[in-house]
Amino acid sequence: MPSTLPDGDPVPSSGSLPGSALEGLGERPFGFYVHVPFCVTRCGYCDFNTYTASELGPGASQKDYAETAADEVRRARANLGDVDLPVQTVFFGGGTPTLLPAADLVRILAVIEEEFGLAPGAEVTTEANPESVDRAYLEELRGGGFTRMSFGMQSASEHVLRVLERRHTPGRPARAVQEAREAGFRHVNLDLIYSTPGESDDDWRASLAAAIEAGPDHVSAYSLIVEDGTRLAARIRRGELPMPDDDVAADRYLIADAMLAEAGFEWYEVSNWAASEAGRCRHNLLYWTGGDWWGVGPGAHSHVGGTRWWNVKHPAAYAGRLASGVSPAHAREVLTAEDRAVERLMLELRLAQGFPLKEIERPPVVARALADGLLEVEPFKTGRAVLTLRGRLLADALVRDLT
Ligand SMILES: C[S@@+](CC[C@H](N)C(=O)[O-])C[C@H]1O[C@@H](n2cnc3c(N)ncnc32)[C@H](O)[C@@H]1O
Ligand code: SF4
């Protein structure tokens, strides 16, 4: 979730949704995202809506956060009406959700369950910084209904972690995975970042090898984005660090895909690989396939039936709105049919399942992409256009040309 909020249409103080959003509610998968906006320190590259204790200021406290978030869950129930809406996926993200006591995360999940009910086999994930948990903490989460852990590993190279300003040691993520397994988690993800300034191909290979060796059933690998306003961007501007290079990033992607495939991981989205179908992140798939989700927390974005809204950004403003019985939504937009079609193409074309060829409206661009080997027509999924490996490298540009 980027830290800047777009403008949009006003939201009534009750938070009530337009009738169009509520049509068909319950027929699409429904999930919750819970944003936890606290970190011990801010990593030099990160632009997410998160606050360290010294940045937070008065009016919001970590201690009260679980009850504030639970209030928003109750408002969600009131705004969505009493339609049967079992929750298929819950994703706690941050910030560092695991900076809160495990009991607080379990409490928020329990309120979601009380208000909506969880669908059988619901996926419940939390992100965690590897150094922020131990075996007892993980057991408490598992006992409280969490089913999946997602650890921010980023790299196994000490000098890369230093450039990123991460707090954990290179060996800590693997031990966190092991502790999660011992606590009973079947599903564990490791997030990796490539093309950090100073990282070599061999550093990246060693990071992938360490991640695979740790035994997760899911790996996400994203190229480092240099976000304006971060310490990393300032260091690059001052010439202290080189700007990540696109060609280097492309090579690193190819290394990642080859090593992960060799280890039995299959890509199912351009930046995401899973060891089996059960290992895929159903919450992210819900985002990428047009599902409904309610985003709880400061700056959190939601989408229900073609209406998108986003909450006020600062934790104090967020808590203040809820304490006075007002919706924390800052603004919203109702997507047109055309917006939705474009969005669908942008998200679904990045999936290994591809996109129905006949629904793509720019035949000359498709013809060129097929001729250039960026797209292929998947023989077993008749009529779906799927990115080739080369297409995955150029996915952003191709999607831009197609929309
Ligand atoms: C925002 S963090 C939240 C979870 C947790 N605090 C952590 O750091 O793992 C989620 C993921 O986004 C990644 N991320 C944040 N800023 C990024 C950037 N500028 N480029 C690439 N990945 C980024 C993080 O490294 C992390 O793996
Ligand atoms: S710990 Fe995660 S959310 Fe916090 S600053 Fe670092 S990358 Fe961002």
Side-chain angles (χ1 to χ4, degrees):
M1 186 194 340
S3 64
T4 44
L5 289 178
D7 297 330
D9 302 328
V11 178
S13 64
S14 66
S16 71
L17 291 166
S20 61
L22 301 176
E23 269 168 37
L25 191 64
E27 291 161 19
R28 301 174 293 267
F30 177 65
F32 265 95
Y33 171 74
V34 181
H35 187 65
V36 180
F38 311 114
C39 287
V40 176
T41 53
R42 181 183 286 277
C43 306
Y45 59 98
C46 181
D47 175 35
F48 277 57
N49 189 32
T50 186
Y51 303 81
T52 61
S54 64
E55 289 170 345
L56 199 56
S61 92
Q62 242 166 267
K63 192 169 64 50
D64 301 331
Y65 189 71
E67 276 322 306
T68 308
D71 263 4
E72 192 184 352
V73 173
R74 293 188 200 96
R75 290 195 71 91
R77 180 78 272 187
N79 287 145
L80 293 170
D82 54 12
V83 57
D84 188 26
L85 203 53
V87 177
Q88 319 248 347
T89 62
V90 185
F91 193 100
F92 288 70
T96 306
T98 45
L99 256 192
L100 298 183
D104 284 7
L105 302 186
V106 168
R107 167 82 188 125
I108 299 169
L109 177 61
V111 175
I112 291 173
E113 184 163 19
E114 270 160 42
E115 294 292 336
F116 291 87
L118 294 179
E123 175 191 273
V124 183
T125 305
T126 185
E127 292 183 333
N129 293 37
E131 75 285 4
S132 66
V133 296
D134 59 19
R135 167 92 183 260
Y137 188 101
L138 293 163
E139 279 173 356
E140 201 173 336
L141 288 184
R142 185 72 194 98
F146 283 72
T147 65
R148 186 169 180 274
M149 290 302 305
S150 174
F151 293 111
M153 170 172 174
Q154 321 310 354
S155 173
S157 158
E158 195 160 2
H159 72 95
V160 171
L161 291 173
R162 210 174 314 121
V163 170
L164 294 174
E165 301 183 59
R166 296 292 294 185
R167 297 174 63 82
H168 61 266
T169 55
R172 178 61 206 152
R175 287 199 301 281
V177 173
Q178 193 187 339
E179 287 164 8
R181 295 287 188 209
E182 287 163 6
F185 283 94
R186 262 185 66 210
H187 301 302
V188 182
N189 169 56
L190 289 174
D191 274 351
L192 294 173
I193 287 184
Y194 55 89
S195 68
T196 298
E199 181 190 61
S200 66
D201 281 353
D202 282 346
D203 290 331
W204 177 232
R205 283 194 194 92
S207 293
L208 286 159
I212 291 164
E213 171 72 20
D217 68 341
H218 189 287
V219 173
S220 298
Y222 287 91
S223 156
L224 179 67
I225 300 168
V226 179
E227 302 282 4
D228 287 346
T230 57
R231 280 195 299 277
L232 175 72
R235 293 181 70 189
I236 291 173
R237 211 177 39 247
R238 291 197 296 267
E240 288 169 29
L241 295 170
M243 184 71 176
D245 178 277
D246 286 348
D247 291 338
V248 169
D251 287 345
R252 301 271 154 85
Y253 183 89
L254 295 175
I255 293 172
D257 191 64
M259 284 184 67
L260 289 166
E262 169 80 26
F265 289 81
E266 230 185 302
W267 77 284
Y268 70 101
E269 193 272 349
V270 170
S271 303
N272 288 273
W273 291 258
S276 69
E277 201 162 331
R280 295 178 182 177
C281 177
R282 281 156 50 202
H283 186 79
N284 282 338
L285 283 167
L286 180 149
Y287 289 156
W288 297 327
T289 54
D292 289 339
W293 76 91
W294 192 290
V296 168
H301 287 232
S302 303
H303 169 262
V304 174
T307 295
R308 220 171 14 206
W309 69 95
W310 44 96
N311 285 347
V312 291
K313 199 180 136 190
H314 197 278
Y318 171 76
R321 290 264 195 120
L322 285 160
S324 48
V326 173
S327 161
H330 170 74
R332 75 182 178 201
E333 63 187 346
V334 177
L335 301 175
T336 62
E338 197 192 335
D339 294 336
R340 292 178 80 171
V342 166
E343 187 139 307
R344 187 172 153 232
L345 175 65
M346 278 169 59
L347 294 170
E348 289 188 20
L349 194 63
R350 295 175 63 89
L351 298 176
Q353 69 189 41
F355 194 86
L357 196 57
K358 64 177 186 317
E359 291 178 39
I360 303 180
E361 276 175 5
R362 305 220 168 152
V365 181
V366 174
R368 204 173 58 234
L370 287 166
D372 290 349
L374 303 184
L375 282 178
E376 61 191 353
V377 179
E378 174 50 70
F380 302 111
K381 296 175 190 157
T382 325
R384 294 185 85 89
V386 179
L387 291 169
T388 60
L389 180 56
R390 202 167 111 72
R392 280 190 267 156
L393 293 175
L394 298 171
D396 291 342
L398 177 60
V399 165
R400 258 198 314 277
D401 290 348
L402 284 172
T403 53

